[in-house]
Amino acid sequence: MKQTDGKVFARQYLYMNYLASFMTPRQLKNSNVLTLLGEDFREISLLSKLGVPSYRVFSVERDPDIYRRQQVTNREDGNGAALYHGELSDYIHTHLRHHDVSVFNLDICGSYLRAVDPVLGELLLHVRKNPQTVMATYSSAGRDKPQLMEGLKSLVVLLWLAPEVIDRLVRHLYGQYRSAALSDSERGRDELSKNMLLRHMFWLRSHMEHVMIGAYTLGLTESSVVSKAFSEQESVWRRFVGSCQFPVTYGDVLQWVESQSRPLASEETRMDLDFGDIEFLTYAANNGFYHNCYFATYESSGSTVSLDTWLVESAKSLRRNDLVLIDIEGRYYESTFGRLAVDTDRAVLWGKADVKHELRQLAIPPRDEEPIVKALISEVCGLESSTIDMIRQLAREDRSLTARQISQRLSLQLPVTQVAAHMAIARRK
């Protein structure tokens, strides 16, 4: 399949700009990369320019015919890439823990809701174990109504949790899309800008909820706290759907959120993983569709912050860089952002009263199903049992101690996530 110049630009930007700015040549040479090579294997040449050997490339492919052609290309060109036939979710669940992947390029031509969100929790647990990870995730911006509906829910929930912070972020994102020449018509620009905004909101909420569950999995917060937070979010969404009049504008959502009582669980909800850096790139694909690219790094300090603080810092990270907007020919869109005012309040977010009360809800895993925590613990190579006993003793004696504080007290040279895993076991007994 012929690729648009916009997609070629996005690939080159990820590897030659974003990735190269975060990793040294030595790190790149010794890094495993998980990607979806497709039929053309173009990423092999880009990674080769960065010094990444082809045998460090792991690729997932679900289509059996494409997979067979990949095998032929891999053999004839002598690439040595590790090819896996199956679903991305199967690979993440069964193989990821055995590979120290440092770069993820999950360029899925499909819905973020169906392809990335179901595995994001495990990916973020992997990131906690490998703090230098760079992750690229994508969302095809076709007319994917279920994902857009999740975006509307995300906007309502996030505005309710942090009105001022999210309002500023919304105006920042929507303003950039609306100011760019994405369409020849005013109506087209409005529609595209709204769709892009809703996708970004779901991306942020997806991360927020998976970080909540990850903190519970590692024993840094209680399941009752996460359950309470999720329950409050579902309640505010049901109230919105039941009482709001459609079509609904952004100004209508703001007004409705202001009428609601404030969340109770935000201070109790503890978050342990922050964004280090984020860049958004949107390029024009075929047939009038667009592709959203999210390039991110993460930071895990071993301590936790409240959900309120996490949202403030995350929004700052999202606003730090302007959107990169690329047309189908690989050129930057012309934009009036910052020069002409954009009326965000009058942007129509949803036209018909066909939104559903029950959308995607994440399940909180039972305490006896912790394969990734066990994997984290099993990878503490050479750690003496006496040291493990001291970690667990301190964790039980003083529940206010963080993983970083225990590491410092015991002079441990370990990733704080591994110390946190031992703490989790101790505090659950």
Side-chain angles (χ1 to χ4, degrees), residues 87-287:
E87 299 287 345
L88 175 65
S89 57
D90 294 335
Y91 179 89
I92 298 298
H93 294 324
T94 59
H95 296 282
L96 179 59
R97 71 191 61 171
H98 305 299
H99 303 144
D100 290 329
V101 176
S102 299
V103 179
F104 293 87
N105 186 27
L106 307 182
D107 191 357
I108 297 170
C109 293
S111 167
Y112 179 96
L113 170 63
R114 291 189 292 269
V116 180
D117 179 68
V119 297
L120 182 61
E122 291 192 51
L123 289 172
L124 294 182
L125 285 169
H126 179 88
V127 166
R128 289 172 171 92
K129 180 166 63 75
N130 300 274
Q132 302 302 316
T133 299
V134 174
M135 189 185 302
T137 53
Y138 301 77
S139 175
S140 288
R143 296 171 181 86
D144 182 358
K145 192 170 184 178
Q147 182 166 293
L148 292 175
M149 201 176 298
E150 289 290 351
L152 179 62
K153 176 180 178 180
S154 302
L155 177 64
V156 171
V157 167
L158 292 169
L159 273 173
W160 175 69
L161 288 170
E164 294 182 4
V165 169
I166 300 302
D167 177 54
R168 185 178 176 187
L169 175 61
V170 166
R171 295 180 189 279
H172 177 79
L173 291 172
Y174 183 82
Q176 290 183 80
Y177 281 116
R178 189 58 185 78
S179 301
L182 297 176
S183 172
D184 294 332
S185 70
E186 291 294 307
R187 183 176 179 179
R189 291 192 191 188
D190 290 340
E191 184 71 10
L192 286 170
S193 302
K194 174 264 295 183
N195 286 351
M196 299 303 176
L197 171 66
L198 295 183
R199 284 179 169 82
H200 287 307
M201 291 296 103
F202 178 57
W203 185 87
L204 178 57
R205 176 176 141 245
S206 173
H207 274 78
M208 178 185 76
E209 294 181 349
H210 281 293
V211 171
M212 286 184 192
I213 291 179
Y216 154 72
T217 302
L218 291 174
L220 304 175
T221 189
E222 296 298 325
S223 63
S224 59
V225 174
V226 180
S227 296
K228 181 179 178 181
F230 284 2
S231 177
E232 286 189 354
Q233 291 171 29
E234 291 304 315
S235 179
V236 78
W237 171 244
R238 287 193 297 270
R239 293 199 302 272
F240 173 81
V241 175
S243 63
C244 199
Q245 299 296 313
F246 294 87
V248 61
T249 66
Y250 177 65
D252 294 333
V253 176
L254 275 179
Q255 186 176 4
W256 185 88
V257 166
E258 289 174 357
S259 70
Q260 301 301 299
S261 57
R262 305 308 311 143
L264 300 175
S266 295
E267 280 299 324
E268 300 175 48
T269 306
R270 311 307 297 177
M271 309 290 279
D272 71 307
L273 187 67
D274 303 312
F275 294 110
D277 186 84
I278 307 171
E279 285 193 34
F280 293 153
L281 185 151
T282 299
Y283 67 86
N286 291 310
N287 303 318

Side-chain angles (χ1 to χ4, degrees), residues 56-102:
R56 288 196 171 276
V57 177
F58 295 76
S59 177
V60 180
E61 177 55 56
R62 60 182 297 185
D63 187 298
D65 292 332
I66 294 178
Y67 176 71
R68 283 191 287 271
R69 289 195 288 273
Q70 284 183 337
Q71 288 181 304
V72 173
T73 300
N74 203 36
R75 181 176 61 253
E76 291 181 350
D77 293 353
N79 288 315
L83 305 179
Y84 175 82
H85 176 231
E87 299 287 345
L88 175 65
S89 57
D90 294 335
Y91 179 89
I92 298 298
H93 294 324
T94 59
H95 296 282
L96 179 59
R97 71 191 61 171
H98 305 299
H99 303 144
D100 290 329
V101 176
S102 299

